[in-house]
Structures are given as structure tokens and as C-alpha cells.
Amino acid sequence: MAKVAVVEGDGIGREVVPVARDILAAVRPDLEFFDVEVGYGRWERTGSACTEETIADLGSADAILFGAVTTPPDPGYRSVLVQIRHALDLYANVRPIRGDGVDVVIVRENTEGLYSGIEWTQADRACTVRVVSRRGSERIARYACTLAKSRCHLTVGNKANVLKSDCLFVEACTAEAARAGVPCTLCYIDALCLDLLMHPDRYDVVVTTNMFGDILSDAAAYLVGGLGMLPSANIGKRAALFEPVHGSAPDIAGKNVANPVAAIRSAAMLLSHLGDPASAAAVEDAVHRVLRAGIRTRDLGGAAGTREFGAAVLREVGRGKA
């Protein structure tokens, strides 16, 4: 029996994750769920957003379903997601961008770059170290090449014309692509942001560094209806965490208006990771049928609430099993 840690987190995470969990339970009643609390709400209540014990609990799971966490602009508050990614070595962030006429996978290095966590503040400046290591670059390139082998082509997003650290990243990626026999193209990240939006059909798998991948995938959400539609996976050698790309959106939290599609699709990715692609496909198909039926949340021009949309997907999942 697979164990799934469930982290609702903050804001709309508390609304979209229960929807995704219910759908997981419907398609896989054998899964064992257990709740883990992390985030800003816990920090406000206890003074700690995430502890070593919490990390150990997450690491004991076969997979983690994660909602969203608020990171306040407080120099004393450390990003919970950065802590978890580093502690569990979730080095590969995989963000599929799929919709009408769009099928791109953005693979983002997940533990280095500007999110390395090496920061300090002085009287007249604040510093963040951008770390790009050969080991980190090679392993994310290998992961991306594994995906690109079945999808034809790899694009390496970079800014090597300005950043010397990106010269190392490009060197590592092109070497791994050559070893894997994967056709590879280099593209400066600023030009890539525009071209991906204008010509998504030109791209299969894109690999890039941490912050560039974060920005690129968020921008690419425009192609498929917004951040409420994008799932993601954070993959390590032993642990795996699945989360919607969107944030905690405190301005709409508790109003039953958040789009749960990204969380539901993240649950589908979790199922694939557990070796159940059939159930993952059933969840994706159910989402597509609900959207085709015109049931949409407000961000997509509809009137359905979070719970109502989730209930519609649950019904479709049930019909698919019947």
C-alpha cells in the first residue's frame, strides 16, 4: 500500500488539495493518506513553518501531495518549499504545459541557482548567491534528456552571453544531450520567453536553471488558461512531491473560487509516479470532459466554485470506472 503525505499549506491550498485528495481516493481507494502541516499559518501559530520532524514525515511517504504556502517578505522567514526541496534533494521540477495545440514540458533545476538558499543581509545591501554546479547541471540535463528521447527535441534555456555560471550549465547540458543522442538547441532565456508564447509548437522539452524555469513556466501558463491549470512534480532519487504551480492566493482564499485543475492534474502526475498511468489518464480525461461540458471556474470564464468543479470531476471519474 502506497503512503501519500498530504500538505494543504496556506490560502487556496486548503481548498484545492482536499478536492485532489478526494479524487485520488476515488480512483485508488488502496492509498493510505496522512496529513502534514507546514506553512505560514503554522509559523504564525507556533513560530515554526517546517521542522526536521516534518521533513522526516514527508520523506517517509511514497509521494507527497502539496498545496501552496505563503512566503511573507520577512527576512526571518525561510521559504518552506526551498527547505523541503533541499532536504529531500528534489532536484528536478517538471512542469508540463498542455492544452489546445500546446504540449511542452519545462524541466527546471530545483535546488541551485538563485534559490540556493545562500543569502545574507547587510546594512546597505542584501546578497543572494547564484549557484550552478557541474553535478547539478549534469543530473538535471540527464533527467531532461530522458524525457526528450520520447519527445524528439531538447531546448536549453540560458543566459550564457551574460552569466558565466550559465556557460557551465550550457556545457553540461549539451554534453549530456550528445551522450543521449538527443537533438539540442540553445536559446537565450529572454528570447525563449517570447518565442515559446508565439510558437509553442516549436518546443518539446525545455531545460533551464531554477529561477529562469520558474519564470518561464509561469509565463507559459498563458497558453493554457493561466496558473490554475498547471501541475508540477518535484522529483528526487527517493522522494517526490506534486503541487500546483500557483501560489497560495490569499486574496481569494476561502471564497470557493479557486481553480482546482492544477491540483487535480498534480494528483494525476502523482499516480503516474506511483506506477499507475491508467488511473492518471482517467483523472486527466475526467478533467477534459468536465471542461468540454462547459463547467469552469471564474478564472476560465465560468461560474463553478472550487467544490462544485471538484464534484463534477469526481462524477466523471465514477462514470469512467463504471
Side-chain angles (χ1 to χ4, degrees):
M1 178 185 295
K3 294 197 306 178
V4 177
V6 179
V7 180
E8 293 184 2
D10 302 310
I12 63 172
R14 298 173 184 171
E15 297 174 77
V16 298
V17 166
V19 169
R21 175 178 179 161
D22 287 347
I23 290 166
L24 278 176
V27 297
R28 284 288 302 272
D30 60 310
L31 293 177
E32 178 185 334
F33 299 98
F34 66 96
D35 295 320
V36 178
E37 184 187 10
V38 304
Y40 183 60
R42 173 176 170 167
W43 183 75
E44 285 187 306
R45 197 180 72 254
T46 68
S48 174
C50 183
T51 65
E52 290 184 7
E53 291 76 16
T54 304
I55 297 291
D57 287 342
L58 294 173
S60 72
D62 295 295
I64 303 161
L65 178 64
F66 198 94
V69 287
T70 297
T71 302
D74 183 329
Y77 187 94
R78 186 183 174 197
S79 167
V80 169
L81 270 175
V82 169
Q83 289 183 65
I84 293 171
R85 287 167 178 165
H86 287 178
L88 299 181
D89 198 23
L90 303 174
Y91 70 92
N93 188 282
V94 183
R95 298 186 170 187
I97 317 294
R98 294 195 177 105
D100 293 338
V102 181
D103 188 2
V104 181
V105 179
I106 296 173
V107 180
R108 162 192 171 197
E109 200 291 318
N110 213 25
T111 60
E112 298 185 338
L114 280 171
Y115 296 160
S116 64
I118 304 173
E119 300 184 280
W120 66 93
T121 303
Q122 298 172 327
D124 59 347
R125 63 178 179 174
C127 301
T128 299
V129 176
R130 185 181 196 261
V131 177
V132 177
S133 73
R134 184 169 298 279
R135 173 179 176 268
S137 299
E138 288 176 346
R139 68 176 181 173
I140 196 62
R142 281 194 295 273
Y143 190 96
C145 286
T146 299
L147 297 180
K149 277 186 176 180
S150 62
R151 296 175 56 88
C152 302
H153 186 264
L154 178 69
T155 302
V156 182
N158 69 92
K159 197 64 177 170
N161 58 328
V162 175
L163 300 172
K164 298 307 179 186
S165 53
D166 265 18
C167 295
L168 172 61
F169 183 76
V170 166
E171 176 192 336
C173 289
T174 52
E176 290 295 334
R179 272 191 284 272
V182 173
C184 176
T185 300
L186 308 181
C187 190
Y188 293 139
I189 195 69
D190 42 359
L192 179 58
C193 281
L194 176 61
D195 199 56
L196 179 62
L197 294 181
M198 293 179 66
H199 307 288
D201 56 302
R202 294 178 179 175
Y203 298 94
D204 294 311
V205 177
V206 177
V207 64
T208 188
T209 52
N210 205 331
M211 179 169 279
F212 287 165
D214 195 5
I215 294 169
L216 180 65
S217 57
D218 282 7
Y222 166 80
L223 296 167
V224 295
L227 290 174
M229 302 296 287
L230 292 192
S232 74
N234 299 262
I235 306 294
K237 285 187 176 180
R238 293 174 297 278
L241 181 152
F242 302 85
E243 59 169 337
V245 168
H246 62 67
S248 60
D251 56 321
I252 61 169
K255 299 179 180 179
N256 191 41
V257 298
N259 185 347
V261 169
I264 297 169
R265 286 180 164 166
S266 297
M269 294 182 76
L270 184 154
L271 290 168
S272 288
H273 176 76
L274 292 179
D276 190 357
S279 292
V283 171
E284 283 282 357
D285 288 347
V287 170
H288 289 310
R289 289 196 299 273
V290 169
L291 291 172
R292 282 199 299 267
I295 302 172
R296 300 170 184 268
T297 46
R298 293 185 188 180
D299 58 311
L300 301 177
T306 309
R307 292 186 295 272
E308 291 73 24
F309 188 94
V313 175
L314 264 178
R315 287 194 298 271
E316 287 300 324
V317 166
R319 290 192 184 102
K321 292 176 66 177

